[in-house]
Amino acid sequence: MDIRTLCLGLLTRQEATGYDIKKVFEAELSYFYEASFGSIYPALTKLTEEGLLTCTEQPQDKRPDKKIYRITPAGRLVFLDALKQQPGRDHVRSDFLATVLFADLLSPRQIAELIDARLIDTRCQLAEIKTATQNCRHSSEHFIAGYGLAVLQAELAYLEEQRHVIEGENLAAVNSATSQIAAADD
Amino acid sequence: MDIRTLCLGLLTRQEATGYDIKKVFEAELSYFYEASFGSIYPALTKLTEEGLLTCTEQPQDKRPDKKIYRITPAGRLVFLDALKQQPGRDHVRSDFLATVLFADLLSPRQIAELIDARLIDTRCQLAEIKTATQNCRHSSEHFIAGYGLAVLQAELAYLEEQRHVIEGENLAAVNSATSQIAAADD
DNA sequence: GAAACCATGTAAGTTGTTACATGATTGG
DNA sequence: CCAATCATGTAACAACTTACATGGTTTC
């Protein structure tokens, strides 16, 4: 699902400005989607040209006019149609794991720093999701936030329990990782 | 880290053809990266032009020549430098979660099908990683595979335990505290 | 007084995918 | 006999990011 379609979807919930939509991407959706103004504003403009949105300009003192977008019946139909498509696989892109893949080219200290930073950032992300969840109105938003929390917590636990596998450079490390994978078979 | 850099990194391990590299992306890296031939082949060509790789053509009967790439000392330096950059946040893009976000627009049956398909696919992905792991030689590869397994298992558990939140037709209990949004929908 | 927030938008650039082009070989 | 595997590559396209452009307001 592209940004354009997601914007349309968010507008099935309530009217919003481009700025509002950006905030939703940064909060509720931050775990599984990202979007910059450079993709949101053009998407809204084009959806409006196509008759899927309407736009009301609300003048403001000493600021650009606020453009409030609302979905049209046609827009609703188009979105419902997009929603019926069966979703493909998730796309995960992790610079962290790509770096870890080449841990043998880094010093133990660099590896330790890498993982420490990751732990901090993951905890930070957990806190962000928890904060964002307080504004959720739909049960589906809670479900999604919970999904993100479950994944991040699993990552934290794995990192804490298994970091020694890449931090220590001995053979025992390999055996430990292997047994972890074997245990997962159950 | 872009595909180009990852190709360079994979070639620090051992020589390979573009085809070989594609297989690595489909197996060991499948959980957290994707790459098509359309990005791999041009990347290898360009890296070779820049002197970071060498290429040996090995003629084959009734097939295109096999092009075997090897990393140069310069290539190794460039990669090590890229590896020292602190990795940014993961990028996750999930059509599934984007769809779930609008679960209230789908019928209970559609939601059930959506989740059933997700469970099947997640189990399938788990199996794929387990299979791919059998070829791992480095402890870091085991670590990464374990990471993927840990995340996927957390997803499975969450889905199985929490699917009722979005499936239940009687959402009143879940929503009661916070649902004042009906007015926003027309 | 600096940072963050509010509010919009565009243009250039990056990065990647999909589809096409070619074509033999092997396994179920 | 059809699908998958082996093996390379290009061109058109899609989608998104970054940086630029503008500038007042609120909060620490």
Side-chain angles (χ1 to χ4, degrees):
Chain A
M1 202 181 292
D2 55 18
I3 303 292
R4 175 196 146 94
T5 307
L6 258 177
C7 287
L8 196 55
L10 291 173
L11 289 165
T12 63
R13 296 244 194 281
Q14 55 189 147
E15 61 185 38
T17 66
Y19 197 84
D20 293 334
I21 289 174
K22 178 67 157 54
K23 281 193 292 185
V24 174
F25 274 101
E26 279 168 358
E28 287 98 305
L29 310 191
S30 70
Y31 165 64
F32 68 102
Y33 257 88
E34 284 158 79
S36 62
F37 284 127
S39 58
I40 293 170
Y41 284 127
L44 293 173
T45 304
K46 218 187 165 204
L47 287 165
T48 306
E49 282 167 8
E50 292 168 12
L52 307 183
L53 300 179
T54 59
C55 176
T56 313
E57 287 190 47
Q58 184 179 298
Q60 297 196 123
D61 283 349
K62 318 208 173 183
R63 278 196 189 164
D65 292 356
K66 192 185 273 196
K67 291 191 173 181
I68 300 168
Y69 292 94
R70 290 181 191 81
I71 196 163
T72 64
R76 229 166 252 277
L77 285 177
V78 166
F79 180 68
L80 279 175
D81 212 56
L83 205 59
K84 281 173 198 155
Q85 307 305 310
Q86 55 185 12
R89 258 192 193 180
D90 292 358
H91 303 278
V92 180
R93 177 153 275 204
S94 174
D95 273 15
F96 168 73
L97 287 177
T99 304
V100 166
L101 181 60
F102 302 102
D104 53 333
L105 301 177
L106 295 174
S107 70
R109 206 187 130 203
Q110 285 175 312
I111 297 173
E113 281 172 3
L114 184 68
I115 295 178
D116 286 339
R118 175 73 168 194
L119 286 170
I120 287 167
D121 189 59
T122 305
R123 290 199 188 97
C124 178
Q125 227 183 322
L126 270 169
E128 281 171 23
I129 294 182
K130 281 176 190 163
T131 303
T133 307
Q134 289 162 7
N135 306 325
C136 290
R137 297 176 186 175
H138 294 70
S139 58
S140 61
E141 287 170 19
H142 281 282
F143 181 85
I144 284 166
Y147 201 101
L149 292 177
V151 168
L152 291 172
Q153 278 159 5
E155 291 186 43
L156 270 185
Y158 185 80
L159 275 178
E160 282 166 352
E161 286 162 25
Q162 298 297 321
R163 60 183 295 173
H164 66 87
V165 171
I166 46 171
E167 277 182 320
E169 285 166 300
N170 47 35
L171 205 99
V174 180
N175 295 331
S176 177
T178 307
S179 62
Q180 170 78 9
I181 286 155
D185 272 315
D186 311 325
Chain B
M1 203 181 293
D2 55 17
I3 302 293
R4 174 196 146 93
T5 307
L6 258 176
C7 287
L8 196 55
L10 292 173
L11 290 165
T12 63
R13 295 244 194 279
Q14 55 189 148
E15 60 184 39
T17 66
Y19 197 85
D20 293 334
I21 289 175
K22 178 68 157 53
K23 280 192 294 186
V24 174
F25 274 102
E26 279 168 357
E28 287 98 307
L29 310 192
S30 70
Y31 166 63
F32 67 102
Y33 257 88
E34 284 159 80
S36 62
F37 284 125
S39 58
I40 293 171
Y41 284 126
L44 293 173
T45 305
K46 217 186 166 204
L47 287 165
T48 306
E49 282 167 8
E50 292 168 12
L52 307 183
L53 301 178
T54 60
C55 176
T56 313
E57 288 191 44
Q58 184 179 298
Q60 298 196 121
D61 283 349
K62 317 210 173 185
R63 275 192 193 170
D65 291 356
K66 194 186 271 197
K67 291 192 172 179
I68 300 169
Y69 292 93
R70 291 180 190 82
I71 196 163
T72 65
R76 229 167 254 277
L77 285 177
V78 166
F79 181 67
L80 279 175
D81 212 58
L83 206 58
K84 281 172 198 154
Q85 307 305 311
Q86 56 184 11
R89 259 192 192 179
D90 293 359
H91 303 278
V92 179
R93 177 153 274 203
S94 174
D95 273 15
F96 168 72
L97 287 178
T99 304
V100 166
L101 181 61
F102 302 102
D104 55 332
L105 301 177
L106 295 173
S107 69
R109 205 186 129 203
Q110 285 175 311
I111 297 172
E113 281 171 2
L114 184 68
I115 295 178
D116 287 338
R118 175 74 169 191
L119 285 171
I120 287 168
D121 188 60
T122 304
R123 290 199 187 99
C124 178
Q125 227 182 323
L126 270 168
E128 282 171 21
I129 294 182
K130 282 174 192 167
T131 303
T133 306
Q134 289 161 8
N135 306 325
C136 290
R137 297 180 187 170
H138 294 71
S139 59
S140 61
E141 287 169 20
H142 281 281
F143 181 86
I144 283 165
Y147 201 102
L149 292 177
V151 167
L152 291 173
Q153 279 160 2
E155 292 186 43
L156 271 185
Y158 185 81
L159 275 178
E160 281 166 353
E161 287 161 24
Q162 299 296 322
R163 61 184 294 175
H164 66 86
V165 171
I166 47 171
E167 271 185 322
E169 276 178 283
N170 181 9
L171 294 176
V174 181
N175 275 335
S176 61
T178 49
S179 65
Q180 297 177 344
I181 21 81
D185 283 356
D186 45 31

